[in-house]
């Protein structure tokens, strides 16, 4: 039997798919396209309304156009909205994010005509030396699942639950295995990497130090850190970044709004001053650090004054990367009971914010023109050439390179989202 796995959403979801693949390939042939398969596992994302709609369309499309195939729904949709899922896939098997260790059993039963719907919270460990590691340039390291936050707009907490940190030794042993098999980039991922260890005797800085001390020529990309989780350990984490040349000098620090009032209403647990303090400490010790942040436009309580504070913050802080999302009600999110911002107001604010985003990101990248960097080449470019990342995780495009190699490059032109480069 042939199994096809299709993944939507975040890096963590991709890692879940990799885990399911490694569990299945002993008994089934894994194929790269839906048409060849007997079984389709759709690993869903549910973080935003457009994604929800995309997932529903995917389910409908597979059921209508490939009725002979065994469809299994996996991922966050299963946990967040089983009532809605039951309207579109009541006769299909489901696998929640915490039950992927049962994937082989569920596939076997589903092929035999059973409907198995497994979801609900468990404390399974998705890291360790027994986890099968593929030969790949990039390896995703899941360090924990869930978080210790309670953001009012978030439904991912519903899917992933409270924080469960995986043992440092298991993560490090998995990293060693990946490096031995040729990995050049380790992607440290979680719903909030900075809260790692706050439920155990481990610490995030210690984990970074141990990963950085591994032998080999490789880089580590640290995933999203919530300012609330980072603020009380920022000195230790900055020190880990500063003393290792293996850590990409890059942090993803979502602020979501420039208004302290809205931050409080979002239950984010940090202030604008604390966010700026974290950035200032990183920039003081690591001047070439690149910073990404996330902004939600039109949270239900956001006024024009609040929104203007967001624009002012971005112009002041000048992040290298700005991710913008329009607020949308999500199942299980506390803010879904609030009155949504007027559609025209939302559209206007989104347009204005994107103008600032373009201005700030282009300005930052233009500053790199003429500079020289070491870059890890990670893939072929989607429109030709090759793509890679500098040591501070600036995306470069270069005409000719070898995937997996480290190159000295000169930046020729700064674009909004990448840097055109040449070998030197």
């Amino acid at each position: 039997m042939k199994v096809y796995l299709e993944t939507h959403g975040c890096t963590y979801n991709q890692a879940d798919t990799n885990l399911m693949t490694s569990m299945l390939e002993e008994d089934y042939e894994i194929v790269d396209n839906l048409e060849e398969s007997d079984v389709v596992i759709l690993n869903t994302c549910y973080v935003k309304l457009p994604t929800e709609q995309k997932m529903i369309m995917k389910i409908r499309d597979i059921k209508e156009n490939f009725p002979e195939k065994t469809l299994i729904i996996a991922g966050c949709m299963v946990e967040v909205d089983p009532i809605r899922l039951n309207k579109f896939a009541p006769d299909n098997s489901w696998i929640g994010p915490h039950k992927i260790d049962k994937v082989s059993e569920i596939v076997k039963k589903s092929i035999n005509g059973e409907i198995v719907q497994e979801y609900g919270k468990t404390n399974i460990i998705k890291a360790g030396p027994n986890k099968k590691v593929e030969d790949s340039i990039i390896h995703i390291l899941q360090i924990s699942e869930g978080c210790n936050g309670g953001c009012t707009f978030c439904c991912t907490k519903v899917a992933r639950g409270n924080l469960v940190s995986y043992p440092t030794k298991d993560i490090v042993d998995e990293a060693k295995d990946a490096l031995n098999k040729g990995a050049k980039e380790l992607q440290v991922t979680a719903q909030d990497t900075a809260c790692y260890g706050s439920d155990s005797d481990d610490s995030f800085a210690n984990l970074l130090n141990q990963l950085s001390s591994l032998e080999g020529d490789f880089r580590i990309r640290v995933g999203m850190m919530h300012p609330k989780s980072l603020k009380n350990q920022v000195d230790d984490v900055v020190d880990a970044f500063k003393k290792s040349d293996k850590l990409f000098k890059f942090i993803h620090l979502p602020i979501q709004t420039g208004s302290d009032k809205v931050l409080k209403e979002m239950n984010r647990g940090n202030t604008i001053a604390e966010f700026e303090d974290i950035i200032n400490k990183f920039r003081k010790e690591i001047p070439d650090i690149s910073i990404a942040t996330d902004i939600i436009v039109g949270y239900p309580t956001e006024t024009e004054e609040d929104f203007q504070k967001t624009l002012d913050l971005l112009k002041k802080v000048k992040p290298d990367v700005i991710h913008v999302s329009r607020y949308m009600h999500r199942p299980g999110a506390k803010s879904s009971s609030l009155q949504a911002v007027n559609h025209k107001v939302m559209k206007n604010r989104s347009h204005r914010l994107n103008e600032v985003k373009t201005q700030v990101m282009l300005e930052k990248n233009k500053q790199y023109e003429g500079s020289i960097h070491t870059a890890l080449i990670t893939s072929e470019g989607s429109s030709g050439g090759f793509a890679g990342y500098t040591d501070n995780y600036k995306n470069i495009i270069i005409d000719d390179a070898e995937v997996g190699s480290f190159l000295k490059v000169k930046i020729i032109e700064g674009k909004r989202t990448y840097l055109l480069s040449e070998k030197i």
Side-chain angles (χ1 to χ4, degrees), residues 332-344:
K334 294 178 181 178
S335 59
S336 295
S337 62
L338 301 174
Q339 180 66 42
V341 168
N342 176 273
H343 174 71
K344 288 185 178 180

Side-chain angles (χ1 to χ4, degrees), residues 197-228:
S198 61
D199 61 330
S200 65
D201 294 330
D202 295 318
S203 79
F204 186 50
N206 177 57
L207 174 64
L208 294 181
N209 288 329
Q210 291 204 38
L211 291 173
S212 299
S213 68
L214 295 176
E215 294 182 1
D217 197 4
F218 65 95
R219 298 293 183 268
I220 302 167
R221 191 202 74 178
V222 175
M224 188 275 283
M225 296 185 285
H226 192 318
K228 174 180 72 71

Side-chain angles (χ1 to χ4, degrees), residues 145-312:
E145 186 153 21
C147 71
N148 55 14
C151 303
T152 58
F153 55 81
C154 181
C155 69
T156 304
K157 179 67 177 263
V158 179
R160 299 292 180 172
N162 293 322
L163 176 65
V164 177
S165 297
Y166 304 152
T168 298
K169 184 179 185 305
D170 287 353
I171 299 166
V172 172
D173 285 347
E174 181 185 328
K176 288 179 183 176
D177 192 14
L179 294 172
N180 288 337
K181 292 183 177 177
K184 295 293 184 180
E185 179 181 335
L186 301 176
Q187 294 188 350
V188 173
T189 188
Q191 281 70 61
D192 169 15
T193 58
C195 71
Y196 174 82
S198 61
D199 61 330
S200 65
D201 294 330
D202 295 318
S203 79
F204 186 50
N206 177 57
L207 174 64
L208 294 181
N209 288 329
Q210 291 204 38
L211 291 173
S212 299
S213 68
L214 295 176
E215 294 182 1
D217 197 4
F218 65 95
R219 298 293 183 268
I220 302 167
R221 191 202 74 178
V222 175
M224 188 275 283
M225 296 185 285
H226 192 318
K228 174 180 72 71
S229 303
L230 184 57
K231 64 184 183 182
N232 293 325
Q233 56 174 328
V234 63
D235 291 337
D236 290 339
V237 175
V238 168
D239 184 62
F241 272 80
K242 184 179 179 181
K243 69 185 182 185
S244 173
D245 58 4
K246 291 177 180 176
L247 278 161
F248 278 120
K249 302 305 184 279
F250 163 82
I251 58 171
H252 180 191
L253 197 69
I255 187 59
Q256 308 300 1
T257 175
S259 164
D260 276 318
K261 175 181 76 70
V262 177
L263 275 180
K264 186 175 182 180
E265 289 158 349
M266 289 176 167
N267 194 35
R268 290 288 285 168
N270 63 274
T271 64
I272 300 299
E274 289 167 339
F275 170 76
E276 291 188 83
D277 180 62
I278 292 170
I279 290 176
N280 290 337
K281 285 182 175 178
F282 270 97
R283 284 178 168 165
K284 180 181 178 182
E285 298 299 326
I286 310 168
D288 62 341
I289 191 95
S290 62
I291 295 165
T293 197
D294 300 350
I295 299 293
I296 294 175
V297 183
Y299 185 79
T301 63
E302 180 187 78
T303 64
E304 178 61 27
E305 181 183 358
D306 295 323
F307 176 69
Q308 188 59 53
K309 289 179 179 179
T310 299
L311 298 183
D312 293 341

Side-chain angles (χ1 to χ4, degrees), residues 272-419:
I272 300 299
E274 289 167 339
F275 170 76
E276 291 188 83
D277 180 62
I278 292 170
I279 290 176
N280 290 337
K281 285 182 175 178
F282 270 97
R283 284 178 168 165
K284 180 181 178 182
E285 298 299 326
I286 310 168
D288 62 341
I289 191 95
S290 62
I291 295 165
T293 197
D294 300 350
I295 299 293
I296 294 175
V297 183
Y299 185 79
T301 63
E302 180 187 78
T303 64
E304 178 61 27
E305 181 183 358
D306 295 323
F307 176 69
Q308 188 59 53
K309 289 179 179 179
T310 299
L311 298 183
D312 293 341
L313 179 67
L314 294 178
K315 291 174 185 177
K316 178 182 179 182
V317 173
K318 297 185 185 299
D320 296 76
V321 179
I322 304 167
H323 303 291
V324 175
S325 298
R326 294 187 187 186
Y327 173 84
M328 295 179 183
H329 290 328
R330 302 305 301 131
K334 294 178 181 178
S335 59
S336 295
S337 62
L338 301 174
Q339 180 66 42
V341 168
N342 176 273
H343 174 71
K344 288 185 178 180
V345 172
M346 177 83 77
K347 186 176 180 180
N348 174 267
R349 289 179 187 170
S350 181
H351 175 71
R352 290 155 59 198
L353 182 57
N354 277 300
E355 285 185 337
V356 172
K357 167 185 172 177
T358 298
Q359 172 191 333
V360 170
M361 289 176 61
L362 182 60
E363 178 187 329
K364 292 288 288 190
N365 280 353
K366 284 290 183 184
Q367 294 173 0
Y368 284 82
E369 292 178 353
S371 61
I372 295 171
H373 301 267
T374 299
L376 169 62
I377 308 302
T378 55
S379 65
E380 294 185 8
S382 58
S383 302
F386 293 82
Y389 293 90
T390 66
D391 280 343
N392 62 341
Y393 210 67
K394 302 294 287 189
N395 184 205
I396 67 146
I397 301 295
I398 193 166
D399 284 340
D400 185 33
E402 180 182 345
V403 174
S405 66
F406 290 91
L407 292 179
K408 284 285 186 183
V409 300
K410 182 177 181 179
I411 308 305
I412 303 304
E413 184 179 2
K415 301 288 190 178
R416 182 175 66 86
T417 58
Y418 62 92
L419 306 174

